[in-house]
Amino acid sequence: MGLEKDSGLELYSVYPTGERNLISDVIGVKVGHAAIRSEDRRINTGVTVIIPHEGNIFREKLFAANAVINGFGKSIGLVQMDELGTLESPIFMTNTLSAGDVLSAGIDYMLEANPEIGVDTGTVNVVVTECNDGGMNDIRGRHVRAEDVRRAIESAGEDFEEGAVGAGCGMEMMGVKGGIGSASRLVPVGNKTYTVGALCLSNYGTGDGLVIGGDHIGRRIKASKAEDKGSCILVIATDAPLIDRQLKRLANRAAHALARTGSFSGNGSGDIAIAFSTANRIEHFNESESKSIEMLYDSRISPLFRGAVEAMEEALISSAFHAEAAEGIRGRYVHGLKEYIKK
């Protein structure tokens, strides 16, 4: 996945892609979608979920961090992530006004898998991220239901679609149709090679600003968005042994990928990045007073920063490349990126 070799688009990259060129090249990571559409094109929304590992994420937490590139967003669960530096739920994506409904369904899922929550132990911090798809979707209708969240979870796998799927159904990016995009890079650090995977929900930017591999393609786009607003969610996964402080540094690098595509993170764009590592597990229940963990020295992690920027840049472009032109609510028509690619 990611960008096919015959896409007609070229991005400069130092590191090779993983086998799938998806975030799921990080072993254990899975992604699922649930699309919600109506025949009259009034409803174009959905849910996307990232499963961080194959075990019980509440009982075996991961180091994680987030970076608020621009805070015009309504994401849920970032405060505790900042405080404790861990991820203990799947990462959910949806539209802005359905974030609360997805949170409720996500809590139901976590309670079902962990009957001890709220009884023998504390509560759970469910992470929900969002973008505003109101340009193409009846966002006031709040059409995402609990069964859609469960459908996304049950569909999660290593292979998944990109483009206008799941939470990406009603999204727009840089004047063209946006949605879900993903890519990965294999990054050598010393005598080991680590995987860095990226996934985005793209809904940002102005059409005239789009840059792909140095080509100011935005000059050829019939921009449907005059103002940079709508948001972008950027998720980075890696199997490199990084702790939360280092993952926050990694998450901050997602801003460079946005900039490479021509974004300046306008006032109304909630640009949020999350990074997590699968290398260490933090047990919720433990009898010891301390835990030994593996951690790369800071002086060794620059290649991971570069790999993350490369993967995220490709994920952003891939989200638009795989999204076809579409018509939404109120007759809104958004062109597809492929209409503007020179071959």
Side-chain angles (χ1 to χ4, degrees):
M1 299 291 281
L3 292 177
E4 292 88 350
K5 292 182 179 179
D6 62 351
S7 67
L9 300 172
E10 294 185 9
L11 299 177
Y12 177 72
S13 182
V14 172
Y15 301 118
T17 68
E19 180 181 356
R20 296 179 181 83
N21 199 13
L22 295 171
I23 194 173
S24 52
D25 284 324
V26 178
I27 294 175
V29 176
K30 296 181 179 179
V31 175
H33 303 299
I36 307 168
R37 294 187 175 95
S38 61
E39 291 186 3
D40 63 3
R41 300 186 178 92
R42 185 174 62 90
I43 302 171
N44 293 282
T45 193
V47 180
T48 292
V49 61
I50 301 173
I51 307 293
H53 66 64
E54 294 177 334
N56 185 312
I57 184 63
F58 179 75
R59 298 176 190 174
E60 294 183 291
K61 309 177 197 306
L62 300 178
F63 280 124
N66 67 83
V68 179
I69 301 166
N70 192 62
F72 201 107
K74 289 80 182 171
S75 295
I76 300 167
L78 302 187
V79 173
Q80 182 171 306
M81 184 185 292
D82 272 341
E83 184 69 20
L84 302 184
T86 57
L87 176 66
E88 62 181 24
S89 83
I91 298 172
F92 296 95
M93 298 176 166
T94 191
N95 76 69
T96 305
L97 296 188
S98 291
D101 301 289
V102 173
L103 172 64
S104 181
I107 291 173
D108 287 343
Y109 169 73
M110 296 300 294
L111 294 181
E112 181 181 312
N114 302 277
E116 68 275 12
I117 291 175
V119 179
D120 300 318
T121 190
T123 56
V124 62
N125 185 54
V126 176
V127 176
V128 182
T129 62
E130 52 74 34
C131 291
N132 185 347
D133 60 12
M136 299 197 71
N137 171 54
D138 172 31
I139 193 169
R140 289 175 61 92
R142 296 170 58 190
H143 299 285
V144 179
R145 302 288 182 260
E147 54 266 30
D148 301 311
V149 177
R150 186 56 62 101
R151 186 157 51 96
I153 294 170
E154 292 175 350
S155 74
E158 295 173 336
D159 295 305
F160 57 90
E161 291 185 80
E162 297 174 79
V165 294
C169 287
M171 303 300 172
E172 304 172 46
M173 170 190 159
M174 304 295 288
V176 295
K177 190 69 185 71
I180 298 292
S182 190
S184 68
R185 291 295 185 272
L186 302 179
V187 180
V189 179
N191 59 1
K192 291 186 178 180
T193 297
Y194 298 106
T195 302
V196 178
L199 185 142
C200 70
L201 175 61
S202 65
N203 192 53
Y204 68 96
T206 58
D208 62 352
L210 180 59
V211 178
I212 301 179
D215 177 11
H216 288 259
I217 195 170
R219 298 170 183 172
R220 308 193 293 273
I221 288 179
K222 303 168 185 175
S224 59
K225 243 181 165 182
E227 187 179 350
D228 185 357
K229 60 181 181 179
S231 304
C232 188
I233 304 300
L234 311 107
V235 179
I236 301 168
T238 184
D239 56 8
L242 304 180
I243 62 172
D244 54 313
R245 175 184 59 76
Q246 296 171 317
L247 288 164
K248 191 170 191 69
R249 299 181 71 199
L250 190 68
N252 273 310
R253 268 59 186 182
H256 296 288
L258 277 173
R260 284 189 179 190
T261 67
S263 170
F264 57 86
S265 293
N267 172 69
S269 186
D271 303 326
I272 310 294
I274 297 172
F276 66 89
S277 167
T278 62
N280 293 289
R281 303 286 175 94
I282 313 300
E283 298 85 358
H284 183 83
F285 297 104
N286 55 76
E287 298 179 357
S288 61
E289 300 299 323
S290 62
K291 178 180 177 64
S292 296
I293 60 171
E294 183 183 4
M295 182 193 83
L296 284 177
Y297 288 109
D298 287 338
S299 60
R300 300 291 189 268
I301 63 178
S302 286
L304 296 171
F305 291 165
R306 185 169 195 166
V309 174
E310 288 185 3
M312 188 59 75
E313 179 188 18
E314 181 172 354
L316 290 165
I317 301 304
S318 186
S319 71
F321 178 79
H322 288 97
E324 302 296 335
E327 184 178 343
I329 193 171
R330 296 178 289 273
R332 176 70 170 275
Y333 183 86
V334 181
H335 293 268
L337 174 61
K338 292 177 183 177
E339 300 174 37
Y340 301 100
I341 297 174
K342 293 180 179 179
K343 291 189 177 181

